[in-house]
């Protein structure tokens, strides 16, 4: 196995007691309309409705050399869902970001290319809010974030889940890596900073879909933990559901439906995830799906596992 993929994937940990995010959603509008004064961007606080909520804080650049890269690992039970991420969240700063110092972020804000270029911008509230939309749809908006190696089954799970939700009368929308790279993200490649920007944009789009009341299914390799955590921090408590398709490199490479692993092995694609680019496995995902003895659960079984989680957490309520 290659160096980039050699270390066993760290197992999700339970460290107790912390909420998924303190960066709450932008406050929903009441259903009775009254004019509001627009708020200047500078008036937002870091505890809610602030730059972090609006996705304006950049992520710090990080080295992809950190630990936690994927390998197959010993065969545990095939599918495992966490009761609650609140039981296993990692340490957070006062700004609600995992392991990120707000002062450091602000410094990065001045330096990073993701600094907002516009000034004199205002947030406008609308009379119909997220709660109104959720009541209309009889469901709760959330983001199901599927991460894993190329060939691990992300798109398959996303489509199966989307179809199953549709059959049940629930509104869902799939954001898929390959598809978004044909449009919104067609200016991005696979260098670390391009992948980070890819995931940042997708996180913002997914947040909008969740705010619209949909079950947004995001299917991206999203190899860097920090980028996934930044997306998580955009969502309110519990509504970012990370699904880790923990399939071994061997299985993914054997599938190789697009022939990309073959090209990467031949040196014709550089920086391919799992071959010569890292994948940082989640430490605290809500749902982990694993293969057993080289066999992975069927797409239908995987989708059922996610649906069960969504039902238990009240996202599909009547
Ligand atoms: N270098 C390299 N590394 C990984 N993947 C590559 C690469 N080059 C092209 N592809 C194809 O791009 C798809 C992954 O796009 P994503 O947007 O999900 O990638 S990322 O999250 O920004 O890492 C991925 O799709 P999936 O196989 O569905 O994962 C590949 O088809
Ligand atoms: N649960 C599964 N069981 C068997 N084969 C699967 C399963 N999920 C996906 N596949 C197959 O594996 C290949 C890669 O799946 P895909 O969804 O395209 O992965 P990804 O989007 O992660 O690259 C496809 O040929 C697909 O049919």
């Amino acid at each position: 196995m290659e160096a980039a993929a050699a270390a066993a994937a760290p197992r999700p940990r339970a460290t107790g007691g912390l909420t998924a995010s303190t960066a709450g959603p932008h406050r929903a509008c009441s259903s009775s309309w009254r004019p509001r004064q627009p708020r200047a961007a500078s008036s937002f606080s870091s505890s809610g409705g602030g730059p972090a909520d609006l996705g304006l804080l950049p992520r710090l650049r990080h080295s992809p050399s950190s630990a936690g890269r994927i390998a197959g690992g010993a065969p545990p039970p095939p599918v495992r869902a966490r009761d609650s991420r609140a039981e296993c969240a990692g340490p957070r700063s006062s700004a609600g970001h995992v392991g990120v110092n707000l002062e450091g972020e602000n410094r990065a804000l001045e330096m990073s290319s993701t600094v907002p270029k516009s000034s004199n911008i205002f947030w406008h509230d609308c009379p119909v809010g997220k709660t109104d939309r959720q009541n209309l749809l009889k469901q709760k908006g959330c983001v199901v974030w599927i991460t894993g190696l190329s060939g691990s089954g992300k798109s398959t799970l996303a489509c199966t889940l989307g179809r199953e939700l549709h059959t049940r009368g629930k509104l869902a929308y799939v954001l898929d890596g390959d598809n978004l790279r044909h449009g919104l993200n067609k200016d991005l490649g696979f260098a670390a900073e391009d992948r980070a920007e890819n995931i940042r944009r997708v996180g913002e789009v997914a947040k909008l879909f969740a705010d619209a009341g949909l079950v947004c299914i995001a299917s991206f390799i999203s190899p860097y933990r920090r980028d996934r955590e930044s997306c998580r921090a955009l969502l309110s408590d519990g509504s970012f559901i990370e699904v880790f398709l923990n399939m071994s490199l061997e299985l993914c490479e054997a599938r190789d439906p697009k022939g990309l692993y073959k090209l990467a092995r031949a040196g014709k694609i550089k920086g391919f995830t799992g071959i010569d680019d890292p994948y940082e496995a989640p430490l605290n995902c809500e749902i982990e799906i694993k293969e057993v003895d080289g066999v992975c659960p069927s797409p239908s079984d995987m989708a059922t596992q996610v649906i069960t989680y969504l039902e238990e957490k009240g996202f599909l309520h009547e």
Side-chain angles (χ1 to χ4, degrees), residues 106-302:
N106 284 338
R107 268 198 301 280
L109 185 65
E110 291 160 16
M111 293 160 26
S112 162
S113 63
T114 59
V115 172
K117 297 265 187 338
S118 45
S119 56
N120 300 316
I121 52 173
F122 300 86
W123 182 270
H124 294 278
D125 281 328
C126 294
V128 177
K130 182 177 183 183
T131 308
D132 303 308
R133 291 186 287 272
Q134 292 185 150
N135 289 341
L136 188 72
L137 293 168
K138 297 182 174 22
Q139 62 186 57
K140 285 187 183 146
C142 62
V143 174
V144 175
W145 190 280
I146 305 171
T147 175
L149 289 174
S150 176
S152 59
K154 301 181 297 299
S155 304
T156 302
L157 172 56
C159 291
T160 309
L161 178 59
R163 192 184 52 208
E164 182 58 31
L165 287 168
H166 187 80
T167 301
R168 291 169 181 239
K170 301 300 172 191
L171 196 55
Y173 193 82
V174 175
L175 300 174
D176 187 86
D178 269 327
N179 293 357
L180 264 69
R181 282 174 176 277
H182 280 85
L184 176 67
N185 293 331
K186 65 182 171 190
D187 57 326
L188 300 174
F190 290 91
E193 60 268 27
D194 281 14
R195 293 185 199 250
E197 175 61 10
N198 181 31
I199 300 309
R200 188 194 71 80
R201 290 181 196 175
V202 172
E204 293 291 344
V205 173
K207 179 187 173 181
L208 293 176
F209 274 107
D211 190 55
L214 277 70
V215 177
C216 179
I217 305 166
S219 158
F220 294 80
I221 295 179
S222 44
Y224 305 136
R225 205 175 286 139
R226 175 183 290 275
D227 298 337
R228 296 192 302 266
E229 288 301 322
S230 294
C231 294
R232 179 188 288 282
L234 294 172
L235 274 293
S236 57
D237 285 355
S239 60
F240 182 93
I241 299 135
E242 190 174 12
V243 180
F244 176 30
L245 287 190
N246 190 0
M247 305 303 153
S248 67
L249 179 63
E250 287 77 6
L251 180 76
C252 297
E253 200 167 353
R255 285 176 172 170
D256 202 9
K258 303 169 191 161
L260 298 180
Y261 281 103
K262 203 171 172 194
L263 290 173
R265 289 288 185 195
K268 292 179 180 162
I269 300 178
K270 301 287 184 201
F272 196 79
T273 306
I275 303 297
D276 56 351
D277 217 55
Y279 178 84
E280 298 171 2
L283 298 176
N284 43 23
C285 56
E286 280 71 17
I287 301 173
E288 181 179 10
I289 300 176
K290 283 193 171 193
E291 59 185 293
V292 174
D293 298 330
V295 179
C296 117
S298 71
S300 163
D301 285 351
M302 297 196 294

